[in-house]
């Protein structure tokens, strides 16, 4: 709600619903993967934006990986556990230059388009790190698709 008054003494009150815009996405352009178990995948994404280096480390659990041999499509959610489609909060983090932030909540959307990954990470960070949105489109070293 906002109240305004003019120089001639007229006042008015207005109520307007607003939404905040999502943070602009940081484009990540390099990805590597390491499989720790048949369903536990370590994924590292890197990029640079406005002179700031970003490195994202993701500890993912994908029950379908054992049968497919690649990270499958779907939504992975920040969690303290290792259930299917979990992004483990203990080992997942954002390194922004020299500052490191763990994930408090959020998701990783995984799609496969034309034999390449299309990823969107949208997470809330600890230590007043705010919200981070990052995207990646391309192939991931050591992570084949189909």
């Amino acid at each position: 709600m906002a109240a305004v008054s003019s120089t001639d003494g007229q006042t008015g009150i207005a109520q307007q619903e607003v939404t905040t815009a999502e943070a602009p996405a940081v484009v990540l352009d390099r990805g590597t993967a390491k499989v720790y178990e048949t369903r536990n995948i370590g994924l590292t994404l890197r990029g640079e934006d406005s002179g700031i280096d970003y490195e994202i480390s993701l500890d993912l659990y994908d029950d379908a990986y054992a049968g497919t041999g690649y990270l499958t499509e779907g939504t992975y959610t920040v969690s303290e556990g290792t259930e299917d489609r979990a992004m483990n909060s203990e080992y997942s983090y954002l390194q922004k230059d020299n500052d490191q932030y763990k994930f408090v909540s959020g998701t990783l959307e995984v799609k496969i388009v034309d034999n390449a990954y299309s990823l969107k990470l949208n997470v809330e960070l600890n230590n007043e790190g705010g919200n981070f949105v990052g995207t990646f489109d391309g192939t991931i070293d050591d992570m084949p698709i189909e």
Side-chain angles (χ1 to χ4, degrees), residues 92-111:
S92 296
Y93 60 87
L94 163 70
Q95 185 79 31
K96 181 179 174 183
D97 280 337
N98 294 323
D99 298 318
Q100 188 177 93
Y101 303 95
K102 295 258 182 156
F103 301 163
V104 174
S105 63
T107 59
L108 172 71
E109 296 288 333
V110 176
K111 295 181 182 176

Side-chain angles (χ1 to χ4, degrees), residues 12-112:
I13 296 175
Q15 187 169 343
Q16 178 69 36
E17 186 174 318
V18 298
T19 58
T20 56
E22 185 177 281
V26 172
V27 176
L28 307 162
D29 57 5
R30 297 178 309 280
T32 59
K34 180 174 181 174
V35 178
Y36 294 102
E37 300 172 17
T38 58
R39 61 183 288 276
N40 179 212
I41 302 160
L43 184 61
T44 303
L45 303 171
R46 293 180 176 91
E48 183 270 332
D49 186 9
S50 302
I52 299 172
D53 290 318
Y54 292 88
E55 178 178 297
I56 290 90
S57 181
L58 304 173
D59 184 36
L60 304 173
Y61 291 84
D62 182 358
D63 288 350
Y65 179 83
T68 63
Y70 59 89
L71 186 63
T72 59
E73 290 187 312
T75 301
Y76 295 74
T77 303
V78 172
S79 169
E80 293 180 4
T82 60
E83 64 276 2
D84 187 32
R85 306 253 185 226
M87 182 173 19
N88 187 279
S89 60
E90 186 173 350
Y91 300 107
S92 296
Y93 60 87
L94 163 70
Q95 185 79 31
K96 181 179 174 183
D97 280 337
N98 294 323
D99 298 318
Q100 188 177 93
Y101 303 95
K102 295 258 182 156
F103 301 163
V104 174
S105 63
T107 59
L108 172 71
E109 296 288 333
V110 176
K111 295 181 182 176
I112 298 173

